[in-house]
Amino acid sequence: MTHESTAVGLASAYSNTTTASGDWWRDAVIYQVYVRSFADSDGDGIGDLRGVRSRLPHLARLGVDAVWLTPFYVSPQADGGYDVADYRAVDPLFGDLADADELVRAAHGLGLRVIVDVVPNHTSEQHPWFRAALAGEPGARERYLFRRGRGTDGSLPPNDWESIFGGPAWTRVADGEWYLHLFAPEQPDLDWTHPEVTAEFDSVLRFWLDLGVDGFRIDVAHGMVKADGLPDIGRGAQATLIGAEPLPFFDQDGVHEIHRSWRRLLDSYEGQRIGVAEAWAPSSERLALYVRPDELHQAFNFRFLNCPWDPGAMRTVIDESLAATTSVGAPTTWVLSNHDVVRHVTRYGGGTQGLARARAAAMLMLALPGSAYLYQGEELGLPEVTDLPPESRQDPAFRRGRRQQTPLPAVPPAPTVIAPRDGEPPAPQTHTPTRPQAEAGTGPQAQACCGPQAGTGAWPVPDPPTAPEAEGQTRPQAEIGNGPEARVGCGPQAGTGAGPGPDLLTAPEAEGQDGLRDGCRVPIPWDGPEPPYGFGPAGSWLPQPPAWAGLSVAAQTGDPHSTLELYRAALELRRAMPGLGAPGAGPSPDPRGMRWLPSPDGVLLFTRPGFACTLNTRPDPVELPAPGRPVLSSAPVETDGRTVRLPPDSCTWWAF
C-alpha cells in the first residue's frame, strides 16, 4: 500500500504538554512571531500587536503551546527593537500597553501561553539612564561600562574587544571617555555589578509578569557579565570565536547568579512562568549550566539549526545535546529557522528538494525529546526570498556592502594600516578630526547575539550585493534614514560597525554578514490571490513574491498534501501519542525515552515508547523492515506491513 501524510482524527484528550510534574515547558512547541511581519491591523504595512491578536486562532488550530513575541517596546528601532528605550511601554509602531494586555488575555483564552523578549545586556542610547550618563549626571555612568582610553592622550580604545558587527566595541564621547557596546554604538552595555541595574530588571520582569506573560526569552543571556579588568583577547575576528572559544565578554561564570535570581523571581509567580536563554557557550556542557535546576528552564540549541543534511552529523548533534541537558535534568530545545537565518527550505537546497528536506527535518525535530521552536511561516513551507529589489531592503548591512564603519577618536593618531583581506594589498587609513561619536545621530544597525550562523557561507545563499545594485553602500550612513531593522541572532558578524554620521570612515572588512536577512522576514501570506495576501489593509514593508498565493494559509488549509496540514497532523499526533513529547514519557530504561536502532547508510531510525521515526537523507529510495504501522509521513511511503520503501529526503512516523 501507499501511505501518504495524513491528518488522523484523534479523540484522545491526552496532552504531553502537561507532564506528570506539570512542567508544560519541557515538551512545549513554541511559535516565534516576528511582530513586524506577522499581521498588520492599521494599514501602515508593518505588523503590530492587534494584528497578532487577530491571527491567534491560526496558532491555536496549528496546535502550538506558546507564542514568543519579538520586541515591541519603545525603541528608536536602531536594531529592530533590540535597542530598548523604555522596557515598560509599547512602541506606537506596534500599538500600546492595552493592546499587549488584550493580546495576552486572548492568547490565554485560546490555551496559548505568551513569552516576550527581554534585553538585559544593553539599553538604547536613548534610554534615560544613558542620556543622563552623557549629560554628566553624577553616578549615571556607573550603570554602564565607561572607561578611560589608552595611550598618553586616551585616544585609543580601552582594550582590543571588537563589536559583534566588526570594528572596536568602544565609542568615545565628548569628554574623552569611552563606553562599551558589544553590538551597535546605539546599544551601550550595562554594568551588571551595579545594584541599580539588578533592581531595575527585577522590576521590569515583575511588570510583565503582573500583566500576565508566561515567561521571557532572554536576549544575550550569556553576555551581562564581563571578565574582571576587561582583559585583551589578543586576536581579531572575535565574532567568529563566539560559541567556539572562551571570551572575556561572553559566558562568564557570573551570569549564572543573575539567572538564579531570576529563577527565584519566576518561581514566586503561579502558573509555571519560564526563562529561555539565548546563550552561546564553547561546549554543550557549558551551555547546560544555564538550565541547571535552579537556573533557567530552557536554552536555545542552535547546533541543530546549523547541522547540515547529513545523518551522521545530525545524530552527533542530537546525542550530544540530549546528553548535556539530561545531565542537569533539563529538556533540550530544537529549532530549524528564526528571524536571523536563511529559512531552512532554502538552506536545504531550495525548490522541490529543499521543501522535501525541510518537511522531513520538521518531523524529525518534532519527534525528538524536549521542546521545539517554530518560526512563523515555516508551517507553510516558505522559502527564503532571495530576489528582493535593492530599494526595498531594510537590513542595514545590505547598504553597507560588507564594509564596516569605525568610530574616530577625538584626537587622531598617526596613520595606521588596516589588516587586509587574504590576497588584497594593505589599505592605508587616515583620519580627519570631526565631532565626537556621541553627538552623531541614530541610524540603522544590525546585531548579532550568539554564535556561528547559517546563511553566511555554510549553505547556498545569494552573493552579497555589489555596485551598482547596492548603490547606497558608499555614501555616509547618516544619509540613510531610519526604518525597519535587522538583527542577527546567531552568527559571526562584521560588515556593520559603529553608528552613523560623518565621524565614521569605511574600511574593508574580511568577515561580514551578508546583509540579506530581509529574505526570512518577508510578511507571511494569509489568503487571497495577490500581495499582501491578507497581511493587512494595505501593502507590506517588504514585498511578497507573486508565487506565494499558493502557499497562503487559506490555500493550504484542507489540502492533505500541504505543508500546513503536515504540521497540523504532526502536532496533533505529538499531543496524542504518549511516547512523544517530554523526555522520559512512558516506560523506558533510557531517561531520554529514545533508542537508536541499526539502519542502512543515510537513514536514521530511533524509537520512543510505542513510536518509531525513520529519516531517509539519501537521494534515492531505501527498503528496510517496517518498524510498525505508519501514522504520518512527509512523502508517500510504500509498505506491505513487513517491509517499507522510504522515499528520498523523507521522514515517517510509526506506531507499534
Side-chain angles (χ1 to χ4, degrees):
M1 62 172 281
T2 298
H3 189 91
E4 301 189 45
S5 56
T6 304
V8 293
L10 300 168
S12 173
Y14 180 85
S15 171
N16 285 330
T17 57
T18 304
T19 63
S21 64
D23 295 338
W24 67 269
W25 43 273
R26 286 188 170 272
D27 62 354
V29 177
I30 300 173
Y31 187 99
Q32 181 192 357
V33 166
Y34 188 64
V35 176
R36 186 184 293 272
S37 297
F38 196 64
D40 171 26
S41 71
D42 58 12
D44 65 357
I46 297 175
D48 48 47
L49 295 181
R50 289 189 180 186
V52 174
R53 178 161 56 91
S54 73
R55 295 296 187 177
L56 288 176
H58 165 69
L59 303 184
R61 182 176 179 184
L62 183 62
V64 302
D65 303 296
V67 181
W68 157 32
L69 302 173
T70 55
F72 51 79
Y73 312 113
V74 170
S75 166
Q77 300 297 316
D79 181 30
Y82 285 91
D83 51 317
V84 181
D86 187 342
Y87 289 86
R88 298 178 181 82
V90 175
D91 195 289
L93 187 68
F94 304 118
D96 56 31
L97 198 57
D99 292 324
D101 181 69
E102 291 171 6
L103 191 160
V104 171
R105 293 175 184 273
H108 288 169
L110 291 169
L112 299 169
R113 292 176 168 89
V114 178
I115 297 169
V116 299
D117 260 303
V118 64
V119 187
N121 179 71
H122 47 262
T123 70
S124 165
E125 65 173 353
Q126 298 301 317
H127 191 283
W129 278 5
F130 195 69
R131 287 184 171 183
L134 293 185
E137 180 179 306
R141 292 192 180 183
E142 295 175 7
R143 302 173 181 132
Y144 295 90
L145 290 163
F146 278 83
R147 296 290 188 272
R148 302 299 302 178
R150 292 201 245 194
T152 56
D153 56 2
S155 63
L156 299 177
N159 65 20
D160 68 355
W161 293 2
E162 296 173 354
S163 165
I164 304 303
F165 302 155
W170 297 89
T171 289
R172 200 178 193 192
V173 300
D175 64 7
E177 282 201 320
W178 298 73
Y179 68 88
L180 178 69
H181 51 85
L182 292 179
F183 301 101
E186 291 87 352
Q187 296 165 293
D189 278 44
L190 289 160
D191 186 346
W192 270 85
T193 66
H194 197 292
E196 289 184 25
V197 174
T198 302
E200 170 66 3
F201 276 90
D202 282 354
S203 174
V204 167
L205 297 186
R206 290 187 183 279
F207 177 88
W208 291 104
L209 291 168
D210 291 342
L211 186 132
V213 305
D214 299 282
F216 302 94
R217 177 265 195 186
I218 301 166
D219 186 64
V220 198
H222 55 301
M224 289 101 82
V225 174
K226 282 68 176 176
D228 290 342
L230 311 183
D232 283 341
I233 294 174
R235 55 189 294 192
Q238 294 164 12
T240 65
L241 308 179
I242 298 170
E245 297 184 17
L247 292 169
F249 51 70
F250 278 163
D251 192 40
Q252 297 296 300
D253 289 341
V255 300
H256 296 289
E257 185 50 46
I258 298 171
H259 299 319
R260 289 188 188 96
S261 69
W262 284 3
R263 178 61 180 263
R264 293 191 293 269
L265 190 158
L266 290 165
D267 287 349
S268 70
Y269 281 78
E270 296 181 353
Q272 292 270 311
R273 318 294 179 94
I274 71 168
V276 182
E278 184 214 30
W280 277 88
S283 66
S284 295
E285 292 74 21
R286 287 288 300 182
L287 184 62
L289 299 180
Y290 290 82
V291 289
R292 288 176 288 189
D294 62 343
E295 293 196 37
L296 300 175
H297 301 75
Q298 295 182 348
F300 284 136
N301 178 11
F302 291 115
R303 292 187 64 201
F304 186 71
L305 180 152
N306 284 330
C307 193
W309 187 251
D310 174 82
M314 289 178 174
R315 178 166 175 171
T316 296
V317 166
I318 291 168
D319 283 344
E320 291 180 355
S321 299
L322 288 171
T325 53
T326 299
S327 70
V328 294
T332 303
T333 64
W334 312 101
V335 62
L336 288 167
S337 282
N338 61 37
H339 67 295
D340 294 321
V341 300
V342 173
R343 285 186 178 273
H344 58 282
V345 168
T346 301
R347 291 204 320 270
Y348 288 144
T352 302
Q353 181 189 65
L355 179 60
R357 290 176 172 179
R359 288 161 58 96
M363 287 187 61
L364 171 67
M365 175 179 72
L366 292 171
L368 294 170
S371 178
Y373 281 77
L374 310 181
Y375 176 52
Q376 65 177 46
E378 75 169 79
E379 77 276 19
L380 305 177
L382 296 184
E384 188 83 357
V385 180
T386 59
D387 59 353
L388 288 169
E391 63 273 12
S392 71
R393 290 192 180 277
Q394 302 292 332
D395 185 344
F398 174 80
R399 293 299 175 191
R400 296 177 185 186
R402 282 181 173 266
R403 297 177 73 83
Q404 76 176 33
Q405 295 187 313
T406 305
L408 299 177
V411 180
T416 58
V417 175
I418 302 169
R421 301 188 187 196
D422 292 340
E424 289 186 353
Q429 177 180 354
T430 58
H431 298 284
T432 303
T434 54
R435 61 193 176 93
Q437 171 61 27
E439 299 175 12
T442 301
Q445 302 299 336
Q447 180 186 4
C449 57
C450 34
Q453 169 170 313
T456 56
W459 289 284
V461 295
D463 291 333
T466 57
E469 179 185 15
E471 59 182 320
Q473 66 192 36
T474 57
R475 60 194 172 103
Q477 180 65 30
E479 298 176 13
I480 302 174
N482 294 329
E485 304 306 331
R487 177 175 187 269
V488 172
C490 53
Q493 305 306 320
T496 64
D503 303 327
L504 306 175
L505 298 177
T506 58
E509 175 60 26
E511 305 284 347
Q513 61 195 46
D514 53 34
L516 303 177
R517 291 187 305 277
D518 295 314
C520 67
R521 300 174 180 186
V522 174
I524 65 175
W526 293 97
D527 54 56
E530 58 187 26
Y533 303 121
F535 171 66
S540 59
W541 67 283
L542 286 172
Q544 300 152 303
W548 276 14
L551 297 178
S552 72
V553 173
Q556 295 195 47
T557 294
D559 178 356
H561 307 290
S562 72
T563 301
L564 175 58
E565 293 297 351
L566 177 69
Y567 269 75
R568 286 172 172 168
L571 291 175
E572 187 178 7
L573 280 167
R574 183 181 164 96
R575 286 175 176 268
M577 298 184 73
L580 289 179
S588 172
D590 187 333
R592 299 169 296 184
M594 176 178 166
R595 291 192 192 92
W596 294 105
L597 297 183
S599 58
D601 289 344
V603 175
L604 293 180
L605 169 59
F606 65 84
T607 64
R608 302 184 65 190
F611 170 87
C613 178
T614 55
L615 177 76
N616 180 16
T617 66
R618 290 165 52 165
D620 54 289
V622 177
E623 287 194 6
L624 70 158
R629 174 177 59 87
V631 293
L632 187 67
S633 56
S634 64
V637 295
E638 298 176 7
T639 179
D640 59 8
R642 296 184 300 276
T643 62
V644 60
R645 183 177 173 87
L646 299 176
D649 296 326
S650 69
C651 185
T652 305
W653 288 2
W654 309 81
F656 58 83

